């Protein structure tokens, strides 16, 4: 049997979940024996060229590019896993959900103390820049998500156990200490 | 004092007359999850996490006194799933962002989420608009995190017995509020007690936060209730 193919992405996240994946330390050698990585920041493959077995997504959706990316993953992955609090419930970026987008942009680009007073006061609005959404959406509010791994970041041992379960079909073992929401 | 005999999931248990089901269960080494119930304050039965089946009917264990020969169901698949659903409902009903919360690791709601392995709530998030009241000298009230358990309302009083906290509005709009004069006169001890009595991170003591490191907090290594279960 060929190795399961894994793709990963970070949407509106901080890459902390990917860092936590790297925290499996030397087990990463076992992991590359077990699975093949496809589109992922880990190997810098940018485009899907084949169907993947597992897509692991960190971060929620805060702009149009995130949504596009997520839909691309849903189309090209048999199983989608929401990795971490931002993917599951929006996380820190979702703290803006109660603030109108206009106010957020004005705070960031017009009113922020780090704005150079000599610069023209402009809220970036180029077609090439992804459109910011009205609020931050957890992944399962946009597409169907098959599994969820909580944590900020999810502990390396939890990610390892989940990957092992998906790759080998063994029963998922979640020790209490590795199942956390922070 | 007369002793009553009753049964929880077929285990023979003893209770003192007047004890509630959750109290007696605790004394018999049986954990019934509680959230709005707190030692030393009168039970209110607001959260229903302690729901048990008594002689076939759903009852709040924290407000129901034990009676002789009572048959109580506790750890059944149906009740455990209903409790998990209540926790999930509480998570979607407010704005509970554990990674940003000072109470994380010491939070009863979060600990119940861990105990029931809540991967994601089954209900849609409501994203309610709630305010943070930081106008008080000793405490901050973050209403995003409040679960309206009324532990602070019932348990925090001034030396002469006045309630510092109360509720505004009713139904799903119920909000906790503090009397401006009484809250302004709060001592550090009272502020700490208010923070401790709050099961979530809705009441926080000012000028201190994240004091206990990760790994050493209340629910980091042992699940809620594991100190009771025998």
């Amino acid at each position: 049997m060929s190795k399961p193919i894994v793709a990963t992405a970070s949407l509106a996240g901080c890459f902390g979940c990917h860092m936590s994946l790297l925290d499996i330390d030397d087990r990463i050698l076992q992991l590359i024996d077990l699975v093949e990585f496809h589109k992922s920041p880990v190997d810098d493959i940018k485009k899907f060229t084949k169907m993947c077995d597992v897509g692991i997504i960190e971060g929620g959706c805060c702009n149009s590019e995130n949504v596009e990316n997520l839909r691309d993953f849903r189309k090209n992955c048999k199983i989608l896993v929401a990795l971490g609090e931002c993917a599951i419930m929006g996380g820190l970026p979702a703290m803006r959900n109660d603030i109108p987008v206009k106010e957020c942009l004005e705070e960031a680009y017009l009113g922020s103390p780090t704005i150079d007073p000599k610069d023209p006061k402009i809220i970036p609005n180029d077609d090439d820049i992804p459109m910011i959404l009205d609020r931050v959406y957890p992944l399962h509010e946009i597409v169907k998500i098959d599994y969820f791994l909580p944590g900020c970041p999810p502990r390396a041992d939890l990610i390892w156990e989940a990957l092992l379960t998906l790759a080998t079909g063994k029963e998922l073992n979640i020790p209490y200490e590795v199942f956390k929401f922070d | 004092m007369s002793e009553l005999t009753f049964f929880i999931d077929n285990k023979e248990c003893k209770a003192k007359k007047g004890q509630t089901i959750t109290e007696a269960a605790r004394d018999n080494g049986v954990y019934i999850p509680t959230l709005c119930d707190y030692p030393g304050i009168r039970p209110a039965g607001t959260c229903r996490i302690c729901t048990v089946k008594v002689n076939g009917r759903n009852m709040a264990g924290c407000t129901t006194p034990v009676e002789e020969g009572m048959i109580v169901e506790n750890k059944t698949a149906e009740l455990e799933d209903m409790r998990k659903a209540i926790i999930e409902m509480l998570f979607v009903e407010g704005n509970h962002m554990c990674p940003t919360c000072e109470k994380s690791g010491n939070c009863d709601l979060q600990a119940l989420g861990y105990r029931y392995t809540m991967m994601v709530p089954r209900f849609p998030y409501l994203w309610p608009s709630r305010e943070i009241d930081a106008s008080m000298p000793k405490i901050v009230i973050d209403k995003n995190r409040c679960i309206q358990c009324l532990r602070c309302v019932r348990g925090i009083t001034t030396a002469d017995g006045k309630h510092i906290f109360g509720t505004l509005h009713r139904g799903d709009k119920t909000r906790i509020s503090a009397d401006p004069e009484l809250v302004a006169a709060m001592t550090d001890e009272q502020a700490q007690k208010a923070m401790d009595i709050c099961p979530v991170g809705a009441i926080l003591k000012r000028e201190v936060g994240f004091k206990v490191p990760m790994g050493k907090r209340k629910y980091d290594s042992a699940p809620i209730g594991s100190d009771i279960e025998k």
Side-chain angles (χ1 to χ4, degrees):
Chain A
M1 201 178 85
S2 59
K3 288 198 274 186
I5 305 166
V6 177
T8 78
S10 177
L11 306 181
C14 69
F15 265 96
C17 299
H18 275 78
M19 292 297 131
S20 195
L21 167 65
L22 298 180
D23 262 345
I24 61 173
D25 299 330
D26 57 352
R27 284 172 291 185
I28 202 139
L29 299 172
Q30 288 179 60
L31 187 63
I32 49 172
D33 281 340
L34 271 174
V35 303
E36 174 193 332
F37 274 90
H38 189 48
K39 179 182 155 88
S40 166
V42 174
D43 53 20
D44 216 22
I45 295 175
K46 307 277 193 208
K47 288 212 180 331
F48 280 111
T49 52
K50 54 183 161 186
M51 192 68 186
C52 296
D53 296 289
V54 182
I56 301 170
I57 306 202
E58 161 191 348
C61 289
C62 79
N63 63 33
S64 54
E65 191 204 20
N66 295 152
V67 175
E68 216 172 285
N69 234 327
L70 177 60
R71 290 194 172 135
D72 198 27
F73 263 77
R74 184 67 278 182
K75 222 181 288 168
N76 289 287
C77 302
K78 293 177 195 158
I79 291 170
L80 271 196
V81 182
L83 183 66
E85 291 300 310
C86 299
I88 292 173
M89 47 72 75
L92 266 67
M95 290 183 86
R96 77 159 162 98
N97 281 6
D98 192 32
I99 304 167
V101 175
K102 189 167 178 276
E103 269 179 52
C104 288
L105 290 170
E106 283 172 357
E107 175 66 25
Y109 293 104
L110 306 181
S112 155
T114 58
I115 299 279
D116 188 337
K118 290 195 289 291
D119 285 347
K121 295 208 165 181
I122 293 172
I123 293 175
N125 189 23
D126 193 278
D127 285 349
D128 286 342
I129 300 173
M131 184 81 94
I132 199 157
L133 303 179
D134 61 333
R135 64 171 173 87
V136 177
Y137 291 78
L139 302 184
H140 65 280
E141 289 185 358
I142 310 269
V143 299
K144 184 191 181 324
I145 297 294
D146 302 289
Y147 299 107
F148 300 83
L149 292 175
C152 184
R155 305 298 185 268
D157 288 334
L158 180 66
I159 302 174
W160 170 249
E161 282 294 331
L163 283 172
L164 219 54
T165 298
L166 285 170
T168 65
K170 81 165 196 65
E171 207 178 315
L172 180 63
N173 163 42
I174 310 176
Y176 180 81
E177 300 74 24
V178 308
F179 185 80
K180 294 285 175 279
F181 300 158
D182 64 1
Chain B
M1 193 182 272
S2 61
E3 207 178 45
L4 305 170
T5 303
F6 72 115
F7 301 87
I8 303 177
D9 295 336
N10 299 323
K11 179 183 171 175
E12 190 179 311
C13 300
K14 301 282 178 204
K16 296 184 207 94
K17 202 167 166 28
Q19 257 189 329
T20 62
I21 295 173
T22 48
E23 274 174 340
R26 214 172 282 149
D27 291 349
N28 286 276
V30 175
Y31 176 66
I32 298 174
T34 54
L35 195 51
C36 70
D37 193 28
Y38 192 78
I41 56 173
R42 197 183 153 89
T46 63
C47 77
R48 301 279 143 174
I49 203 88
C50 66
T51 300
V52 287
K53 260 201 173 120
V54 180
N55 301 336
R57 288 186 60 177
N58 284 352
M59 304 289 277
C62 73
T63 55
T64 309
V66 175
E67 278 170 36
E68 180 63 33
M70 224 177 211
I71 309 284
V72 178
E73 286 172 54
N74 174 39
K75 226 175 171 171
T76 65
E78 181 196 339
L79 286 169
E80 290 286 80
D81 185 61
M82 192 211 62
R83 290 165 181 165
K84 190 176 181 185
I86 292 175
I87 297 156
E88 291 171 354
M89 246 190 274
L90 290 170
F91 265 93
V92 300
E93 184 264 350
N95 296 307
H96 296 276
M97 306 203 170
C98 296
T100 70
C101 182
E102 293 90 324
K103 202 63 178 275
S104 194
N106 299 308
C107 168
D108 290 351
L109 178 65
Q110 186 192 55
L112 285 163
Y114 295 162
R115 187 178 169 99
Y116 287 97
T117 326
M118 184 191 83
M119 292 291 189
V120 67
R122 70 191 76 172
F123 308 106
Y125 294 105
L126 298 184
W127 308 110
S129 181
R130 303 253 186 99
E131 59 171 10
I132 298 172
D133 186 351
S135 65
M136 300 152 288
K138 297 283 184 202
I139 58 164
V140 173
I141 304 182
D142 186 342
K143 295 175 192 181
N144 290 292
R145 301 167 183 166
C146 180
I147 57 167
Q148 288 87 42
C149 66
L150 312 185
R151 263 158 58 159
C152 58
V153 175
R154 289 175 284 148
I156 305 295
T157 52
T158 58
D160 55 348
K162 292 191 188 104
H163 289 268
I164 297 178
F165 297 91
T167 54
L168 289 175
H169 311 293
R170 293 294 178 266
D172 64 350
K173 294 182 186 70
T174 302
R175 297 288 171 268
I176 296 299
S177 202
D179 178 87
E181 279 168 40
L182 298 182
V183 83
M186 262 178 130
T187 62
D188 280 325
E189 291 71 42
Q190 276 175 323
Q192 186 61 54
K193 196 179 162 197
M195 181 170 171
D196 292 342
I197 214 168
C198 180
V200 290
I203 300 176
L204 300 171
K205 194 166 178 285
R206 288 184 90 114
E207 293 172 11
V208 59
F210 303 104
K211 205 175 168 187
V212 183
M214 283 173 103
K216 292 198 168 153
R217 300 167 306 180
K218 197 170 171 190
Y219 301 118
D220 277 340
S221 45
I224 188 168
S226 56
D227 53 331
I228 294 167
E229 283 167 314
K230 275 177 221 148

